């Protein structure tokens, strides 16, 4: 079957920057999926969504010119309905035959599980792709996720932005179609300012090159490469390295058709301001790329990206520098004024700022964090006085002018102000580190003092949030308790802090000005934290059943929890694991039905079967050997040793009836099963590993 390339380009006014990649992807998938759903063979090797601010395009290298011929098979009525007693056709059969345009005698018969019936079979020629494309195109457009549809002119239709042209080529032929007020042809448009006249596309394979010649890079990957190469080169010319945040690069790609980098500069005096504020202004507000020096510090240079190759780059440079200077001046003013006031003076205002209506002021929260931090500090090898001082200042910068203007600088501003007023550098650093990790992929606080504050702050937030009835529901999480829980857990895990989480949550709850609701306890908060760890460990290869196995038994700390998970993961790969897990599950199921206290010891005189005597002997030997391993947390060693019990356990269940008629024997076997279950459950509840 003949194949040719396909091009569809929808030309518009400038599309929304943030929506552009998703629109392009949906358009591409809509066209590709529509072709395949119609039975049109497509080779999309190397194809991908193409787009620029003024166009969405689909370029497929090989598309069949028509559907494949189809074998039609339509089932008709069963014989008892189709024929009367004389073997003549009923109205049901006559209608079925007429619907398919043939005499009833030409119909074939087939048999299924209900009996014999008539069937219509015929070969149907496939439709031409060109005839099907208008409907495929219309459905692809209708299925696009338009964030805020616009209407233009006196028309009823709408789209993300007004539509101006439509290119539709199947091979070298234009596919006739109309939608959104435009009709298809082979005429595209180049750069709005750098190309005059139309761009005629002879056939799809010329599309990318033709637009490149019209100063439009329709492939977003090509635009990104150009942006990165130009920005890198300009930064290197001043012995710097450009900061290319992926999200900012993606936004610049979505804003330009012919990106041209321009190196700019600002007054060095602005470098006195925390570089995070300047970088935030450049990236978030202006989509500029900061230039760093060899030590990773912000330099006085930055890279702007124009959507045009200007004959007078100086004017563009001046424009970029002019637009950024007022923002930098504001930041410097806020920074200078805050430093004049001083962090302790700013801190006094926290007593007038409500943290949460039921939980008091921000100053109240800082005081609770200070109590927790002072109690945690000695356990983590930190000076308690430093912890109390850092906690006392930990929320001060929330009242600063700088953080009021740049909320993302909370903690960072505090660190700078603390250093300026001569605070201990470790205290100053902790004011920033208390918020770490800020996001899922960030590192935890690097210093022990920072970790103390990070733990104390999150304990208080969790306890207070649950006490105030702010437990997350669905997408609502006003206190970000899910993120705070994961940050707390990661700090305990990665900091290797041997703290019993439940005890510290209980302590934080006790410090709150209100009690937990009657239907909640500190155990619920603890489990909430552990639930956040399911996805964390799943990303590290831990299965849901392995997590449940460890979560079901007591453990000393989160580092201890992680060691048990690692051991269970290794045990799950052993040959003996499935059988032992099943045996433990069987034992637990039997014991669960026992309605009386189970003896804590086994009477040897009641062991009537060799298999149960062998099991008791094997258990005593194993218990003696695993006890020191449990004490040293060699959980892999424990489970490896327990795996050797498999033959003895199998023999017991194969040859011993636990619920014997003799009640003394039965109770004794319950006691033996309890010892087996306790021994196998020393590291994890292995029954969770049984399918």
């Amino acid at each position: 079957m003949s194949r040719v390339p396909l091009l569809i380009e929808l030309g518009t006014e400038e599309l929304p920057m943030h929506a552009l990649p998703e629109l392009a992807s949906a358009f591409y998938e809509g066209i590709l999926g529509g072709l395949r759903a119609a039975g049109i063979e497509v080779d999309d090797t190397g194809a991908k969504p193409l787009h620029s601010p003024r166009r969405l395009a689909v370029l497929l290298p090989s598309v069949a010119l028509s559907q494949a011929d189809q074998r039609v098979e339509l089932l008709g009525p069963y014989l008892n309905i189709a024929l009367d007693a004389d073997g003549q056709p009923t109205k049901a059969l006559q209608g079925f035959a007429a619907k398919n345009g043939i005499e009833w005698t030409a119909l074939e018969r087939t048999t299924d599980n209900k009996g014999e019936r008539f069937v219509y079979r015929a070969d149907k020629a496939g439709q031409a792709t060109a005839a099907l494309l208008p409907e495929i195109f219309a459905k692809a457009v209708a299925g696009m996720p338009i964030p805020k549809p616009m209407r233009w002119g006196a028309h009823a239709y709408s789209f993300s932005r007004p539509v101006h042209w439509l290119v539709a080529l199947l091979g070298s032929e234009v596919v006739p179609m109309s939608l959104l007020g435009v009709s298809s042809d082979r005429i595209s448009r180049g750069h709005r300012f750098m190309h005059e006249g139309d761009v005629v596309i002879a056939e799809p394979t010329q599309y990318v090159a033709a637009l490149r010649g019209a100063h439009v890079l329709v492939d977003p990957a090509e635009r990104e490469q150009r942006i990165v190469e130009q920005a890198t080169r300009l930064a290197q010319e001043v012995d710097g390295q450009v900061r290319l945040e992926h999200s900012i690069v993606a936004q610049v790609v979505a804003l330009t058709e012919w990106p041209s980098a321009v190196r700019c500069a600002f007054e060095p005096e602005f470098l006195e301001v925390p570089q995070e504020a300047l970088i935030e202004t450049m990236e978030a507000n202006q989509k500029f790329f900061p230039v760093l020096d060899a030590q990773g510090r912000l330099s006085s240079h930055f890279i702007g990206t124009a959507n045009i190759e200007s004959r007078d780059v100086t004017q563009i440079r001046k424009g970029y520098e002019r637009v950024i200077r007022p923002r930098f001046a504001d930041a410097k003013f806020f920074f200078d004024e805050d430093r004049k006031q001083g962090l302790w003076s700013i801190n006094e205002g926290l007593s007038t700022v409500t943290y949460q209506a039921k939980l008091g002021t921000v100053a109240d929260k800082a005081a609770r964090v200070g109590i927790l931090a002072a109690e945690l500090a000695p356990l983590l090898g930190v000076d308690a006085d430093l912890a109390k001082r850092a906690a006392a200042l930990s929320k001060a910068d929330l009242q600063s002018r700088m953080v009021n203007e740049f909320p993302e600088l909370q903690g960072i501003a505090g660190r700078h102000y603390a250093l300026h007023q001569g605070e201990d550098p470790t205290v100053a650093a902790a004011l920033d580190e208390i918020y770490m990790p800020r996001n899922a992929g960030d590192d935890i606080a690097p210093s022990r003092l920072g970790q103390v504050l990070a733990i104390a702050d999150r304990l208080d937030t969790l306890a207070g949030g649950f006490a105030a009835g702010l437990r997350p529901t669905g997408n609502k999480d006003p206190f970000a308790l899910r993120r705070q829980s994961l940050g707390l857990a990661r700090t305990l895990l990665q900091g290797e802090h041997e703290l019993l989480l439940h005890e510290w949550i209980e302590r934080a709850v006790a410090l709150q000005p209100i009690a937990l609701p009657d239907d909640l306890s500190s155990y619920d908060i603890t489990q909430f934290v552990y639930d956040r760890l399911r996805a964390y460990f799943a990303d590290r290869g831990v299965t849901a059943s392995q997590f449940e196995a460890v979560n079901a038994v007591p453990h000393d700390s989160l580092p201890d929890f992680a060691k048990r998970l690692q051991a269970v993961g290794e045990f799950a790969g052993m040959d003996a694991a499935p059988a032992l897990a099943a045996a433990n599950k069987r034992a637990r199921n039997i014991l669960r039905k026992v309605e009386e206290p189970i003896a804590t010891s086994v009477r040897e005189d009641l062991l009537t079967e060799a298999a149960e005597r062998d099991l008791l002997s094997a258990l005593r030997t194993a218990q003696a050997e695993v006890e020191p391993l449990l004490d040293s947390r060699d959980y892999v060693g424990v489970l490896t040793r327990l795996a050797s019990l498999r033959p003895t356990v199998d023999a017991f269940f194969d040859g011993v009836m636990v619920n014997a008629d003799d009640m003394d024997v039965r109770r004794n076997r319950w006691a033996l099963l309890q010892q087996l279950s306790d021994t196998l459950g020393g590291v994890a509840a292995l029954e969770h590993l049984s399918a």
Side-chain angles (χ1 to χ4, degrees):
M1 184 179 293
S2 298
R3 294 179 178 230
V4 293
L6 169 68
L7 168 67
I8 298 179
E9 181 195 55
L10 188 64
T12 69
E13 293 290 341
E14 276 74 5
L15 291 161
M17 170 186 66
H18 293 291
L20 179 56
E22 186 178 7
L23 289 174
S25 179
F27 186 46
Y28 175 84
E29 294 297 335
I31 297 293
L32 184 61
L35 289 168
R36 287 176 170 161
I40 299 169
E41 294 181 359
V42 179
D43 181 1
D44 61 335
T45 304
K48 61 182 177 180
L50 301 177
H51 62 77
S52 80
R54 297 176 66 212
R55 71 203 74 226
L56 303 170
V58 176
L59 176 60
L60 298 173
S62 179
V63 175
L65 285 173
S66 67
Q67 297 171 317
D69 292 343
Q70 300 175 22
R71 179 66 171 168
V72 177
E73 182 174 291
L74 301 175
L75 296 174
Y78 288 95
L79 263 61
N80 63 336
I81 298 173
L83 301 174
D84 61 20
D86 298 326
Q88 296 302 305
T90 62
K91 288 184 178 180
L93 180 58
Q94 290 173 345
F96 178 72
K99 181 180 178 181
N100 291 292
I102 63 171
E103 293 293 328
W104 74 271
T105 53
L107 291 170
E108 299 179 30
R109 298 187 185 189
T110 188
T111 302
D112 61 21
N113 57 358
K114 292 184 179 181
E116 192 175 5
R117 67 193 303 176
F118 284 93
V119 62
Y120 169 73
R121 294 190 177 103
D123 292 323
K124 181 180 178 182
Q127 288 183 271
T129 300
L132 297 169
L133 271 172
E135 183 179 357
I136 292 172
F137 171 67
K139 287 183 177 179
V141 171
M144 293 169 66
I146 308 297
K148 293 181 179 179
M150 289 182 60
R151 297 183 185 276
W152 61 97
H155 307 294
Y157 47 76
S158 63
F159 194 64
S160 182
R161 292 293 185 270
V163 176
H164 293 304
W165 76 90
L166 172 62
V167 175
L169 295 176
L170 187 59
S172 60
E173 300 297 322
V174 174
V175 180
M177 62 175 74
S178 295
L179 191 71
L180 300 173
V182 294
S183 298
S184 59
D185 55 27
R186 63 175 71 250
I187 299 174
S188 182
R189 301 183 188 180
H191 194 282
R192 188 185 291 275
F193 305 112
M194 298 177 65
H195 182 82
E196 295 183 4
D198 298 330
V199 180
V200 179
I201 312 297
E203 57 94 21
T205 58
Q206 298 178 5
Y207 174 65
V208 174
L211 283 181
R212 188 184 295 115
H215 290 93
V216 174
L217 300 178
V218 73
D219 185 346
E222 189 175 353
R223 295 202 300 280
E224 179 174 343
Q225 181 180 359
R226 179 181 170 95
I227 290 166
V228 170
E229 289 178 351
Q230 290 186 354
T232 300
R233 174 177 53 80
L234 290 176
Q236 289 174 345
E237 289 176 359
V238 290
D239 297 324
Q241 51 188 347
V242 65
R243 174 183 157 102
L244 294 166
E245 284 294 304
H246 176 73
S247 62
I248 306 302
V249 173
Q251 291 177 56
V252 175
V253 168
L255 285 168
T256 57
E257 290 193 319
W258 192 260
S260 299
V262 180
R263 187 177 61 246
C264 312
F266 55 85
E267 290 79 358
E269 66 188 61
F270 289 128
L271 292 175
E272 297 176 15
V273 178
Q275 70 175 33
E276 294 86 353
L278 304 182
I279 289 173
E280 175 69 17
T281 293
M282 284 187 274
E283 291 182 340
N285 298 110
Q286 303 301 332
K287 317 305 176 211
F288 294 154
F289 301 119
V291 176
L292 311 178
D293 63 19
Q295 286 72 45
R297 297 177 305 226
L298 183 65
S299 75
S300 59
H301 298 282
F302 65 93
I303 309 294
T305 309
N307 189 30
I308 189 173
E309 282 186 1
S310 175
R311 296 188 181 90
D312 189 355
V313 177
T314 300
Q315 293 304 313
I316 295 181
R317 179 182 298 112
K318 288 181 178 178
Y320 287 162
E321 293 172 350
R322 185 166 56 248
V323 77
I324 208 171
R325 192 171 290 113
R327 291 281 295 176
F328 279 12
D330 286 347
K332 188 173 188 308
F333 172 78
F334 298 142
F335 185 61
D336 290 342
E337 290 300 305
D338 286 340
R339 289 193 299 178
K340 289 177 185 176
Q341 186 176 357
L343 201 56
W344 284 108
S345 178
I346 295 173
N347 198 42
E348 293 174 0
L350 295 180
S351 60
T352 64
V353 180
T354 300
Y355 168 62
Q356 202 278 334
K358 298 178 182 179
L359 303 175
T361 66
V362 177
D364 294 331
K365 176 177 175 58
R368 294 193 297 269
V369 172
I371 294 171
L372 288 168
E375 294 174 0
L376 283 164
L379 303 178
L380 274 65
V382 171
D383 182 87
D385 290 335
L386 282 181
K388 285 190 288 187
R389 188 170 183 85
L393 289 171
S394 62
K395 305 299 177 183
D397 65 352
L398 297 180
Q399 276 287 86
S400 68
R401 294 173 176 84
M402 179 67 82
V403 173
N404 184 59
E405 181 69 16
F406 301 97
E408 64 282 354
L409 294 187
Q410 62 179 2
I412 297 169
R415 168 166 52 83
H416 284 277
Y417 298 152
L419 288 172
H420 177 74
Q421 68 185 28
E423 291 289 339
D424 186 305
T426 59
V427 170
L431 303 188
D432 184 4
E433 294 174 9
I434 188 174
Y435 297 103
M436 298 179 183
R438 284 182 166 85
N439 299 299
D442 294 348
D443 293 333
I444 65 169
S447 76
R448 285 281 176 170
L449 178 56
Q451 290 170 22
V452 166
L453 261 65
I455 294 168
D457 188 50
R458 286 167 172 81
L459 286 170
D460 179 77
T461 298
L462 282 169
F466 275 80
L470 299 173
R471 184 173 186 169
T473 56
N475 294 328
K476 295 182 179 179
D477 190 3
F479 264 34
L481 297 184
R482 294 187 181 101
R483 179 168 55 83
Q484 297 287 355
S485 294
L486 185 57
L488 170 62
R490 285 186 54 206
T491 302
L492 292 171
L493 275 169
Q494 296 170 17
E496 298 184 348
H497 299 307
E498 298 293 342
L499 302 174
L500 191 57
L501 178 59
H502 173 251
E503 289 184 355
W504 285 98
I505 287 178
E506 220 170 30
R507 175 63 177 136
V509 167
L511 291 173
Q512 299 305 310
I514 56 175
L516 289 175
D518 292 339
D519 61 340
L520 286 178
S521 70
S522 55
Y523 281 102
D524 294 314
I525 304 176
T526 305
Q527 192 53 53
F528 179 82
V529 176
Y530 276 90
D531 286 342
R532 307 283 76 72
L533 285 171
R534 294 178 190 276
Y536 174 84
F537 281 114
D539 291 341
R540 287 152 181 79
V542 176
T543 67
S545 60
Q546 291 167 7
F547 187 92
E548 290 298 337
V550 176
N551 196 32
V553 299
H555 48 273
D556 298 331
S557 64
L558 278 176
D560 181 50
F561 187 87
K563 286 183 178 180
R564 290 171 185 260
L565 279 178
Q566 180 185 358
V568 168
E570 294 190 30
F571 172 75
M574 298 179 187
D575 293 338
L580 280 181
N584 202 34
K585 185 175 183 178
R586 184 173 177 181
R588 293 286 177 113
N589 288 338
I590 293 172
L591 295 172
R592 193 177 294 116
K593 297 176 183 178
V594 176
E595 297 180 353
E596 61 182 77
I598 297 175
T600 57
S601 61
V602 178
R603 288 176 53 185
E604 294 187 48
D605 61 304
L606 292 176
L607 299 177
T608 61
E609 302 288 343
E612 58 184 332
R613 290 193 294 272
D614 291 344
L615 179 58
L616 178 62
S617 176
L619 280 176
R620 287 174 174 172
T621 302
Q623 289 165 349
E625 293 177 2
V626 301
E627 185 175 351
L629 298 177
L630 284 170
D631 292 340
S632 63
R633 292 187 180 176
D634 181 4
Y635 299 130
V636 174
V638 171
L639 292 176
T640 301
R641 174 62 183 85
L642 293 179
S644 66
L645 290 173
R646 176 187 173 180
T648 309
V649 173
D650 288 346
F652 173 82
F653 280 112
D654 289 342
V656 177
M657 175 68 71
V658 176
N659 290 327
D661 293 335
D662 186 318
M663 285 304 300
D664 288 337
V665 173
R666 182 186 300 187
R667 291 188 180 98
N668 201 52
R669 288 174 181 171
W670 288 344
L672 181 59
L673 276 189
Q674 187 66 63
Q675 287 200 18
L676 171 65
S677 182
D678 291 344
T679 302
L680 292 179
V683 174
L686 298 184
E687 66 270 18
H688 286 281
L689 304 181
S690 177

